[in-house]
Amino acid sequence: MLILRRYLESCGCEPDLVELIRLIARQMETIRKAFLENQTFERTLNPSGELQTQMDTWADEHLIKVVGNSGLVRELASEEQPDIIRFDNSRTDYCMVMDPLDGSSLISTNLAVGTIVGIYEGGGVLQPGSKLRAAFYTLFGPLTVLVVSVGKGVQSFAWDQENEHYLLLRTGISIPEGKQYGTGGLRMEWLPEHVRVIDYFDQSGFKVRYSGSFVADCHQLLTYGGIYSYPGTTKNPEGKLRLLFEAIPLGFIITQAGGRITDGKRNILEIVPEKQHQTTPLYIGSKGIIEKIEEIYSSS
Ligand code: AHG
Ligand code: MN
Ligand code: MN
């Protein structure tokens, strides 16, 4: 059975990159164990102004410590940290972006959450998604799953607790054209373009799927197709989801699986980030549906 390390090596990934991906992947067991004692909210707000959960801060501090000690990362930007962290001890030039725990408002309901990571090869963390060297996410469901792309398609692996390996689950994942959609934002605050997009779905026989965890909602797209969206609204024209920590890494993976990501007008992977906690409206999923959404936006 193919394991994560061998897969990464077979793609020609350099040893430091293999080590970095495996190092973070191995932390998932530790993070999973921490759920039991960290079920509630903190009183602190993150840089996006959202109430942090205990697991947001726990996973953030844990991953920063592990990554900092590894000597494998020069620069790190985290959704939970106000500033970019520099590690002067690094022997590599990797720059990493992370959402240490995505979907964290669902921890107290025991729904699926995960960790999102993007890795650039030098050049800092404020680079477009098209420049990513690798991206992966993990998902805590019945299985602990890791979905990775190093620019050679998308593969998923499942953690085998007994043998302490990530075993290949699905190879060459290709996103189908599905008929399901999820959307965030309050209906009363949607902009006219988004209303037209949702009307199109409702009139075309799409069904609704939305859990409140971006990583889980995107993961199901790899099996069923369809789209996830979080639009700009009257209150937040630039949307809610973070360009660096959420849109770019998942956009890279979904694009590698033959899907697409857009803000309605342009490919999000081409956007050059201006600041660390920048947000973007987004639609992500099956290629044909994204094309239809861009058509609706351009005719609005
Ligand atoms: P995070 O838990 O990292 O703060 O991210 C939450 C994000 C995303 O995971 C999810 O799709 C979205 O926010 C849900 O937002 P709403 O609760 O506004 O629907
Ligand atoms: Mn998130
Ligand atoms: Mn988060």
Side-chain angles (χ1 to χ4, degrees):
M1 181 66 103
L2 190 61
I3 60 171
L4 179 63
R5 177 173 56 79
R6 293 225 182 87
Y7 166 71
L8 295 170
E9 287 166 356
S10 76
C11 288
C13 293
E14 56 280 15
D16 282 343
L17 182 63
V18 176
E19 198 180 325
L20 177 57
I21 295 174
R22 290 184 64 226
L23 175 69
I24 301 166
R26 278 200 305 275
Q27 304 314 311
M28 296 308 135
E29 224 198 330
T30 319
I31 291 177
R32 201 189 249 283
K33 280 187 192 140
F35 285 126
L36 193 56
E37 306 227 310
N38 294 280
Q39 282 284 308
T40 59
F41 283 84
E42 306 270 22
R43 294 198 177 154
T44 45
L45 299 180
N46 73 8
S48 303
E50 297 158 353
L51 200 57
Q52 291 176 304
T53 66
Q54 289 181 318
M55 273 311 294
D56 284 324
T57 47
W58 197 98
D60 186 49
E61 282 163 18
H62 179 72
L63 290 174
I64 290 173
K65 194 174 67 197
V66 167
V67 166
N69 289 337
S70 72
L72 288 165
V73 172
R74 170 89 52 213
E75 209 171 287
L76 173 67
S78 165
E79 185 182 272
E80 304 302 331
Q81 292 294 323
D83 302 311
I84 294 167
I85 303 170
R86 273 191 70 82
F87 298 111
D88 292 327
N89 66 336
S90 180
R91 64 170 194 264
T92 78
D93 275 327
Y94 294 129
C95 299
M96 180 174 142
V97 292
M98 72 168 176
D99 180 348
L101 227 281
D102 176 65
S104 54
S105 72
L106 298 181
I107 286 168
S108 53
T109 65
N110 200 34
L111 289 177
V113 299
T115 299
I116 304 173
V117 174
I119 300 168
Y120 294 99
E121 212 164 10
V125 290
L126 296 179
Q127 296 188 65
S130 53
K131 296 254 165 72
L132 275 176
R133 173 73 182 87
F136 63 95
Y137 63 82
T138 60
L139 187 66
F140 299 106
L143 293 171
T144 301
V145 167
L146 181 142
V147 177
V148 62
S149 180
V150 292
K152 295 187 172 170
V154 178
Q155 329 292 321
S156 69
F157 295 82
W159 177 245
D160 171 2
Q161 171 86 51
E162 207 174 307
N163 298 302
E164 303 197 330
H165 285 307
Y166 276 94
L167 301 177
L168 185 71
L169 203 57
R170 288 178 66 192
T171 183
I173 298 175
S174 166
I175 179 169
E177 286 297 322
K179 278 199 153 188
Q180 63 176 50
Y181 76 93
T183 177
L186 298 180
R187 186 176 285 265
M188 64 202 282
E189 293 172 4
W190 287 350
L191 297 168
E193 296 88 334
H194 189 65
V195 172
R196 274 195 282 277
V197 167
I198 300 304
D199 283 348
Y200 165 77
F201 293 147
D202 290 338
Q203 284 155 20
S204 308
F206 280 52
K207 70 178 172 189
V208 180
R209 287 285 165 91
Y210 187 83
S211 75
S213 161
F214 180 54
V215 75
D217 287 333
C218 285
H219 188 68
Q220 59 174 335
L221 300 175
L222 295 177
T223 299
Y224 298 116
I227 66 128
Y228 169 95
S229 65
Y230 209 112
T233 60
T234 49
K235 268 213 187 115
N236 296 306
E238 293 310 313
K240 173 184 178 184
L241 294 197
R242 274 82 19 166
L243 180 61
L244 250 64
F245 314 118
E246 294 165 324
I248 283 180
L250 262 299
F252 181 80
I253 292 168
I254 293 288
T255 302
Q256 281 288 322
R260 281 197 51 200
I261 183 165
T262 183
D263 65 359
K265 298 184 183 116
R266 59 197 165 148
N267 181 350
I268 285 179
L269 296 184
E270 303 302 331
I271 298 176
V272 182
E274 285 166 16
K275 45 185 189 188
Q276 199 189 340
H277 295 283
Q278 183 172 343
T279 59
T280 179
L282 74 83
Y283 298 86
I284 182 168
S286 306
K287 196 163 172 248
I289 306 175
I290 299 286
E291 277 163 12
K292 182 69 195 172
I293 292 166
E294 286 183 335
E295 197 185 304
I296 293 171
Y297 264 72
S298 67
S299 63
S300 291

